[in-house]
Amino acid sequence: MLNRSQKPETQSVTQFTPPSCGFELRDNRWLHLGPKRNIGLTRLELLFPGGRAVQDQILQASASLNLLLSGNSQFSESQLLKKIDSWGLRYQTEVQNESHSLIFVFRPEVANDALPFLFEQLQLGEFPEERLNSYKQIQLASLARRQSTPSYWANRQVFESLYGKSSFLGKQADAEDFQSLSPKPLLAFRTQQLGYEKARILVSGQYDDDFLNLVEHLLHKNSHNTLIDNDLSQKKTPTIDLQNPDENSHSLPNSSQVSLVLARHLDNLSFTERIALSLLNTVLGGYFGSRLMQDLRESKGLTYGIGSRISPALSGYTWSISSEMKAESRELAKAAIQENMQALINKAIPEEELNRAKAYFAGAFRAQFDGPFASAARAKQLWVSGQDEVELGQTLETLWSC
């Protein structure tokens, strides 16, 4: 029986062996095979290198993948979606800075019917003008909503300042970018960047060797040998030299709220540097018990919420702090953020506080592997970032030794 008068005991995650999150080469195909789970669902992901880094114009990658099933000479979009629904299949696309994916989740018993149909149809999309125009209107409405918020402009200006308005990391889409979308560049992206012959395959959930053979057969059958073989190792992160960065601001009429974002670019880091910096970020603003949250929100009431994060940026990382507040609190909040950062420079973190952050970090790391599809997500992350399984297995040991 639960005794609510006693504080529950907590344990820190100090040892944990992650499941296999790597790729194996089988018959000239890179495969990630997650732990087999008898759960009545299979997840299949076709992973391609490229993403936004290889698009010729902004929005080309996301629009082309989102509209792959918008209709062709054989089927209309409604007919395709009805077919997918009849199988109970969930289909989605994902576009990141350095990769793009086709993802399918379905019951194993429908694979023999659903996958041959979908693999073929995804290569036949014609991006009809009527459907493309509808997509534009939806996206323009979404853009207008985002542009009415302070957070949109704060994040936009940060990335434009760090990476330049013309780079794929810095450029943000405007209304004219959506309006200029046309079928020709979308067809080009599909033809050049969705060649099945170069796809990496990630399988998880319930599957067997017959299913893997089916997938390989379908990829070979539908290959077209026009894929551009992207070498992202040759791409460098675009940066602007900001010796004395200015503060950028954007005023919104009738708004009493402020979104404040501070950020800088970090060059590529070693494994131990990444762990140490991630731990430092946790102490500063990476969870609810962080210094920024406790000082600015809980103690001083300056913000509705504040946090910091580290995100990949091709060959490096972006480290950012973001917060929402009333306009009159902006300068006080900026000063408080700078005070907290200076305090980390001036004085070592107390052992109790550091251990609390380590325990949170370790728990969050362990939670990344919960669920039947978790290893696939982690395998993709490792591949995109150029990390390996050996480092993954050393994460907790390195963390607790910091």
Side-chain angles (χ1 to χ4, degrees):
M1 185 175 181
L2 180 64
N3 185 348
R4 297 184 180 276
S5 65
Q6 295 181 356
K7 183 178 179 180
E9 295 184 6
T10 60
Q11 290 184 327
S12 297
V13 180
T14 57
Q15 292 183 332
F16 170 67
T17 302
S20 175
C21 294
F23 288 88
E24 62 179 81
L25 187 62
R26 181 186 295 186
D27 298 328
N28 294 318
R29 175 79 65 186
W30 286 104
L31 298 175
H32 167 76
L33 303 178
K36 292 183 178 180
R37 305 284 178 84
N38 188 25
I39 59 172
L41 284 176
T42 305
R43 182 185 187 276
L44 169 66
E45 179 171 0
L46 310 185
L47 173 62
F48 304 88
R52 300 184 190 94
V54 299
Q55 62 185 7
D56 295 324
Q57 66 182 67
I58 192 170
L59 303 175
Q60 184 189 24
S62 58
S64 61
L65 263 68
N66 285 333
L67 294 171
L68 283 173
L69 295 178
S70 59
N72 55 55
S73 59
Q74 298 180 6
F75 298 96
S76 67
E77 181 182 45
S78 61
Q79 289 173 322
L80 290 170
L81 295 180
K82 184 177 181 179
K83 199 81 163 161
I84 292 173
D85 288 342
S86 71
W87 288 309
L89 182 144
R90 188 171 83 242
Y91 162 74
Q92 67 186 80
T93 63
E94 185 176 283
V95 177
Q96 299 183 354
N97 284 334
E98 301 166 55
S99 68
H100 49 279
S101 299
L102 308 176
I103 302 169
F104 314 85
V105 181
F106 49 89
R107 291 176 289 114
E109 58 266 28
V110 308
N112 288 322
D113 294 324
L115 293 185
F117 178 82
L118 280 171
F119 274 42
E120 180 182 5
Q121 294 302 315
L122 288 167
Q123 296 287 0
L124 296 177
E126 297 175 357
F127 308 102
E129 287 283 0
E130 181 181 353
R131 181 63 187 92
L132 180 56
N133 289 334
S134 176
Y135 174 80
K136 291 178 185 180
Q137 295 306 312
I138 294 171
Q139 296 301 316
L140 285 169
S142 176
L143 176 64
R145 287 193 297 271
R146 296 196 305 274
Q147 289 186 334
S148 68
T149 64
S151 60
Y152 169 87
W153 291 104
N155 283 284
R156 173 170 180 157
Q157 290 178 119
V158 157
F159 282 89
E160 287 179 344
S161 296
L162 287 177
Y163 302 117
K165 295 181 180 181
S166 62
S167 78
F168 74 94
L169 286 173
K171 182 171 175 53
Q172 307 294 311
D174 287 313
E176 54 266 29
D177 296 308
F178 287 101
Q179 295 286 14
S180 66
L181 285 172
S182 63
K184 186 175 181 180
L186 304 190
L187 285 166
F189 190 90
R190 188 202 68 194
T191 302
Q192 297 170 358
Q193 302 295 341
L194 285 175
Y196 291 151
E197 58 271 26
K198 292 294 184 180
R200 285 181 176 244
I201 308 303
L202 299 97
V203 181
S204 48
Q206 185 172 328
Y207 64 94
D208 55 23
D209 287 341
D210 288 340
F211 172 74
L212 298 178
N213 292 333
L214 170 66
V215 172
E216 182 56 39
H217 168 73
L218 294 174
L219 294 176
H220 179 73
K221 177 182 177 181
N222 292 281
S223 64
H224 50 63
N225 300 309
T226 58
L227 179 73
I228 292 178
D229 197 3
N230 301 311
D231 184 5
L232 297 183
S233 66
Q234 302 302 312
K235 282 188 171 289
K236 300 298 181 182
T237 303
T239 58
I240 296 177
D241 187 16
L242 297 176
Q243 296 297 329
N244 296 294
D246 295 325
E247 177 178 304
N248 297 315
S249 62
H250 182 93
S251 298
L252 291 175
N254 305 316
S255 176
S256 60
Q257 309 302 308
V258 164
S259 180
L260 177 65
V261 180
L262 296 86
R264 66 164 295 168
H265 174 74
L266 302 171
D267 289 327
N268 209 355
L269 305 167
S270 69
F271 169 67
T272 54
E273 288 172 334
R274 287 198 308 271
I275 299 298
L277 182 61
S278 296
L279 177 58
L280 178 63
N281 178 71
T282 302
V283 172
L284 177 64
Y287 74 123
F288 195 86
S290 67
R291 292 191 178 189
L292 291 178
M293 183 66 82
Q294 293 301 307
D295 183 29
L296 276 77
R297 184 183 188 274
E298 298 300 304
S299 298
K300 297 176 180 175
L302 294 174
T303 72
Y304 306 116
I306 186 169
S308 59
R309 65 192 298 262
I310 301 169
S311 54
L314 196 59
S315 57
Y317 300 88
T318 306
W319 191 7
S320 61
I321 301 170
S322 58
S323 181
E324 306 282 331
M325 66 204 67
K326 295 179 180 178
E328 56 266 28
S329 300
R330 183 182 68 173
E331 294 305 318
L332 291 173
K334 283 173 54 183
I337 291 171
Q338 292 168 350
E339 288 172 4
N340 276 276
M341 296 182 76
Q342 191 62 46
L344 286 171
I345 296 173
N346 294 340
K347 188 176 180 180
I349 302 168
E351 184 175 356
E352 181 180 357
E353 181 185 11
L354 189 61
N355 285 336
R356 187 166 60 246
K358 288 179 180 179
Y360 177 86
F361 188 126
F365 173 76
R366 170 63 182 84
Q368 292 177 2
F369 301 94
D370 289 338
F373 309 142
S375 68
R378 193 62 170 168
K380 178 165 64 175
Q381 182 182 2
L382 289 178
W383 173 67
V384 169
S385 61
Q387 300 173 30
D388 58 45
E389 287 193 279
V390 174
E391 293 179 343
L392 191 68
Q394 296 172 346
T395 296
L396 289 181
E397 179 184 355
T398 306
L399 168 70
W400 286 103
S401 68
C402 279

